[in-house]
């Protein structure tokens, strides 16, 4: 993203005019992670501010916003399920203490 002038409020990972598959994949990962585990949103924003901003901008497009609303209604805060999600949530719980 930096190579293609991805900024906090403009741009895409590969410098395209419209979101590419790279932008959509990044949004799927980081927007979903922060939506399902909001305790990680600040860390993502602090450590990867351009990626966090890109994910938010992309997720706000009408088609994806509808998708994420439906996903929230159907899955709630489920991120990936199984042992991986349990491990992440255990880590987050441990960090609170």
């Amino acid at each position: 993203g930096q190579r293609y002038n991805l900024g906090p409020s403009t741009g895409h990972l590969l410098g395209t005019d419209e979101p590419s598959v790279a932008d959509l994949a990044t949004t799927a990962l980081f927007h979903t992670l922060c939506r399902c585990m909001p305790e990680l949103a600040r860390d993502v924003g602090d450590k990867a501010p351009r990626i966090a901003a890109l994910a938010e901008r992309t997720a706000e497009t009408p088609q994806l916003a509808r998708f994420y609303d439906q996903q929230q209604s159907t899955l709630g805060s489920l991120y990936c399920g199984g042992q991986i999600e349990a491990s992440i949530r255990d880590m987050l719980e441990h960090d609170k203490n």
Side-chain angles (χ1 to χ4, degrees), residues 26-90:
T26 299
T27 298
L29 174 64
F30 287 100
H31 177 76
T32 304
L33 177 73
C34 293
R35 181 185 62 78
C36 295
M37 299 179 191
E39 42 293 58
L40 292 175
R42 188 166 112 185
D43 285 341
V44 172
D46 289 348
K47 304 294 183 195
R50 294 180 201 168
I51 296 297
L54 170 70
E56 285 304 308
R57 283 196 317 272
T58 305
E60 290 171 355
T61 62
Q63 299 90 337
L64 285 179
R66 283 192 301 273
F67 170 77
Y68 282 118
D69 285 345
Q70 181 184 21
Q71 196 174 44
Q72 179 69 35
S73 296
T74 304
L75 301 174
S77 64
L78 181 67
Y79 177 60
C80 61
Q83 293 177 346
I84 293 172
E85 181 161 343
S87 177
I88 295 169
R89 291 195 185 277
D90 285 346

Side-chain angles (χ1 to χ4, degrees), residues 9 21 23-24 29 36 38 85 90-91:
S9 59
V21 171
D23 301 299
L24 296 174
L29 174 64
C36 295
E85 181 161 343
D90 285 346
M91 178 204 60

